[in-house]
Amino acid sequence: MKQLDFSGLESSAPLYGGNNELFSDGFTDSPSFDLPVTSDFDGFQKNSIQMVKPAKGTTTLAFIFKDGVMVAADSRASMGGYISSQSVKKIIEINPYMLGTMAGGAADCQFWHRNLGIKCRLHELANKRRISVTGASKLLANILYSYRGMGLSVGTMIAGWDEKGPGLYYVDSEGGRLKGQKFSVGSGSPYAYGVLDSGYKYDMTIDEAAELARRAIYHATFRDGASGGVASVYHVGPTGWTKLSGDDVGELHYSYYPVEPAVVEHEMSEAVSASA
Amino acid sequence: MARYDRAITVFSPDGHLFQVEYALEAVRKGNAAVGVRGTDIAVLGVEKKSTAKLQDSRSVKKIVSLDEHVALACAGLKADARVLINRARIECQSHRLTLEDPVTVEYITRYIAGLQQKYTQSGGVRPFGLSTLIVGFDPHTGVPSLYQTDPSGTFSAWKANATGRNSNSMREFLEKNYKETSGQETVKLAIRALLEVVESGGKNIEIAVMTKEGGLRQLEEAEIDAIVAEIEAEKAAAEAAKKAPLKEN
């Protein structure tokens, strides 16, 4: 029996409304895969997430105050108990007026922040105005949501200054997005929050705010094994971001807690005068 | 086997896209539409063809809003207009959702024009047979704007423009008589342009006014009649003034 020839029905012309990368919204054509059959699907899901999820060993923080946004982070990368690097750049410069912080998978954060930077620039070119921090964080959040459950690990803060003033959003790979005035992300965040919450005032000067951020990172690196290296502090103001400082936390320790000179054993007579 | 995937819009040997030009013809047969931009207001007006006695005239609104701060009037195939307007309305809301900000007039115009262009370069479809006049206020700066798109997908901003039937005479009138106006003066200018090509009277004209605070407001027939009466009175006075000095000489 001769097979019917349907080749003529297949169109070689581009479909109207067909997939065009430039206009994609990040949702409609994301990849998918088949799931195994199981009776306890929730348990399976939980276990598989735990298996893939790398612990976010880091400390990053950001807060809004009267003169803008202060962003700070450590610089240690760890693989379990092994410190793989002490000099990782965890504050990513998306564009001259927006910063992103890195917590979780380094590659995921770097790639998606770079991608966000591209999208922000395209928005500027198409609309002749800068994208708002709200818009940029939403673009990233929507993309991360479309990859939800596929093992991306991103816990980031988007900080910037737009027409409405300073803006700060927390965005993560679960697809969550929160607007706030103060955030800390990573394994060292509980320690950083302690210092941040007790020392925070909205009416700080830039120097006071930078010192608060630095101390918060330092304290987190002191107690959390997965954080360390260099405490970088950035400030985002109306004209864009500037890097304020990058101090080795070991050196910071000794500047906060200088070592008392050791008491040397003296002859009895000198000891009396020394202790007076 | 018949192939339906061949493009309908192809280049002619001398560089024309005939389907697009025919679409422009369809626009030229559509009802007259005019748009005028003022300093604090934007006005859209369309010619209302006499409705059949049994038809419910309220169901044929020719000036529609795309969002709280953007409105559209068009000339051409009304069925195509419905489809385009729905897509534009969805895009306005989608923009609000992803950017947490209302669209700018330029953005939605660019979107509509982009859509019209896509249909001139795809297989198995024909271009939209309509030109649109889009007015609105920029949500950030509060400045009013007027844009026009056409079946080829081009768009540009205008101080005042007309499309549809007799658009050339309306545009000539606007070029001669346009000046920066605000409020009621802008409405009068739009109506005067329409009256050049349309039978006088409130029942043949539909006018909508967009303000920053009030959004889009459709004028009542009685209001339009009142303004038309004012315009006619002004015209009569101008005629009389011209004749009077002549008499004295």
Side-chain angles (χ1 to χ4, degrees):
Chain A
M1 270 269 275
K2 187 167 180 210
Q3 288 279 49
L4 283 172
D5 178 32
F6 288 108
S7 63
L9 284 175
E10 280 162 67
S11 168
S12 54
L15 286 172
Y16 69 96
N19 255 351
N20 186 339
E21 257 312 309
L22 273 177
F23 298 117
S24 106
D25 55 6
F27 312 165
T28 41
D29 49 341
S30 47
S32 62
F33 51 86
D34 288 330
L35 294 166
V37 180
T38 170
S39 54
D40 173 25
F41 187 70
D42 287 337
F44 166 70
Q45 200 174 41
K46 238 182 262 180
N47 285 329
S48 53
I49 288 173
Q50 275 306 108
M51 189 179 83
V52 191
K53 190 181 199 171
K56 298 184 176 116
T58 190
T59 311
T60 59
L61 61 85
F63 58 86
I64 292 180
F65 67 112
K66 79 163 164 40
D67 287 325
V69 197
M70 206 49 88
V71 185
D74 75 313
S75 68
R76 175 175 292 182
S78 47
M79 288 172 4
Y82 174 68
I83 297 176
S84 43
S85 170
Q86 287 273 66
S87 51
V88 177
K89 272 190 76 172
K90 295 193 189 180
I91 296 181
I92 298 160
E93 298 147 11
I94 297 171
N95 61 41
Y97 55 98
M98 248 197 275
L99 292 174
T101 59
M102 180 200 293
D108 290 340
C109 289
Q110 269 180 9
F111 178 85
W112 288 111
H113 278 122
R114 201 110 199 278
N115 185 279
L116 181 64
I118 292 171
K119 289 208 162 66
C120 290
R121 181 64 181 140
L122 286 173
H123 179 101
E124 255 179 61
L125 288 168
N127 294 288
K128 293 183 215 151
R129 56 185 290 125
R130 284 185 179 167
I131 193 171
S132 58
V133 184
T134 312
S137 59
K138 199 133 199 194
L139 280 179
L140 182 63
N142 284 338
I143 290 171
L144 294 179
Y145 181 78
S146 68
Y147 286 93
R148 193 175 135 92
M150 293 188 211
L152 280 185
S153 172
V154 172
T156 182
M157 295 175 282
I158 305 290
W161 187 296
D162 59 26
E163 271 183 7
K164 301 193 194 103
L168 179 61
Y169 285 83
Y170 164 76
V171 177
D172 69 21
S173 45
E174 310 299 295
R177 174 175 166 268
L178 297 170
K179 181 177 157 104
Q181 218 181 39
K182 204 194 303 158
F183 286 114
S184 176
V185 181
S187 55
S189 62
Y191 312 110
Y193 269 129
V195 175
L196 207 49
D197 287 333
S198 66
Y200 176 81
K201 282 193 303 286
Y202 182 76
D203 301 302
M204 287 185 282
T205 63
I206 296 180
D207 288 330
E208 287 173 344
E211 184 52 29
L212 179 65
R214 198 174 303 123
R215 266 195 322 118
I217 295 285
Y218 157 74
H219 282 283
T221 60
F222 188 70
R223 289 291 175 183
D224 175 32
S227 305
V230 167
S232 318
V233 181
Y234 283 67
H235 171 247
V236 188
T239 53
W241 58 259
T242 34
K243 179 162 183 178
L244 293 180
S245 65
D247 302 293
D248 182 287
V249 295
E251 284 167 27
L252 275 181
H253 173 84
Y254 291 109
S255 77
Y256 291 139
Y257 304 105
V259 182
E260 302 299 313
V263 177
V264 178
E265 286 288 306
H266 287 287
E267 298 273 306
M268 281 301 287
S269 54
E270 286 179 85
V272 173
S273 56
S275 58
Chain B
M1 187 146 286
R3 289 188 178 267
Y4 295 104
D5 58 348
R6 230 171 354 127
I8 285 174
T9 326
V10 289
F11 276 112
S12 71
D14 57 347
H16 290 246
L17 285 171
F18 280 123
Q19 279 301 303
V20 175
E21 297 188 6
Y22 299 157
L24 280 157
E25 266 306 305
V27 169
R28 258 171 248 136
K29 292 199 166 36
N31 56 255
V34 71
V36 183
R37 179 190 85 194
T39 52
D40 60 348
I41 193 178
V43 183
L44 284 173
V46 291
E47 161 194 15
K48 218 174 13 177
K49 283 198 211 113
S50 49
T51 46
K53 268 205 212 134
L54 295 172
Q55 192 179 56
D56 186 348
S57 59
R58 278 169 303 156
S59 69
V60 263
K61 274 286 169 258
K62 299 210 174 142
I63 305 174
V64 295
S65 64
L66 298 180
D67 200 342
E68 288 168 354
H69 60 300
V70 190
L72 174 149
C74 55
L77 270 52
K78 286 293 174 274
D80 288 2
R82 208 178 51 236
V83 168
L84 206 55
I85 287 167
N86 282 335
R87 301 277 285 274
R89 283 173 170 165
I90 292 173
E91 181 60 24
C92 285
Q93 296 310 308
S94 175
H95 187 278
R96 273 183 190 264
L97 181 60
T98 49
L99 277 299
E100 289 189 14
D101 245 343
V103 294
T104 56
V105 190
E106 197 257 343
Y107 177 92
I108 196 64
T109 307
R110 196 165 7 108
Y111 176 80
I112 292 175
L115 212 47
Q116 287 181 291
Q117 190 281 341
K118 227 189 273 199
Y119 280 66
T120 68
Q121 207 179 10
S122 304
V125 297
R126 62 161 175 81
F128 285 100
L130 69 145
S131 291
T132 68
L133 286 168
I134 301 168
V135 297
F137 280 83
D138 188 312
H140 305 278
T141 59
V143 171
S145 20
L146 165 68
Y147 283 87
Q148 189 212 30
T149 73
D150 64 27
S152 65
T154 52
F155 73 94
S156 49
W158 293 75
K159 295 185 194 153
N161 200 0
T163 181
R165 230 153 38 124
N166 304 107
S167 56
N168 285 329
S169 9
M170 280 196 282
R171 206 172 300 119
E172 258 180 59
F173 174 85
L174 286 167
E175 280 177 16
K176 250 190 265 168
N177 294 283
Y178 179 82
K179 54 186 195 307
E180 284 278 320
T181 49
S182 66
Q184 199 66 339
E185 281 304 307
T186 320
V187 183
K188 258 203 229 164
L189 182 60
I191 296 181
R192 279 167 63 205
L194 260 182
L195 286 176
E196 291 283 306
V197 300
V198 165
E199 242 183 77
S200 178
K203 62 177 171 57
N204 298 312
I205 298 177
E206 200 179 295
I207 299 281
V209 162
M210 168 79 77
T211 49
K212 189 148 85 128
E213 290 79 37
L216 188 69
R217 189 174 72 89
Q218 308 266 6
L219 265 60
E220 303 272 326
E221 216 181 283
E223 275 184 86
I224 301 176
D225 276 326
I227 303 177
V228 169
E230 252 185 77
I231 293 172
E232 314 246 283
E234 280 173 14
K235 244 198 258 177
E239 288 289 312
K242 250 195 273 168
K243 287 204 193 112
L246 280 172
K247 260 203 242 163
E248 281 172 11
N249 285 350

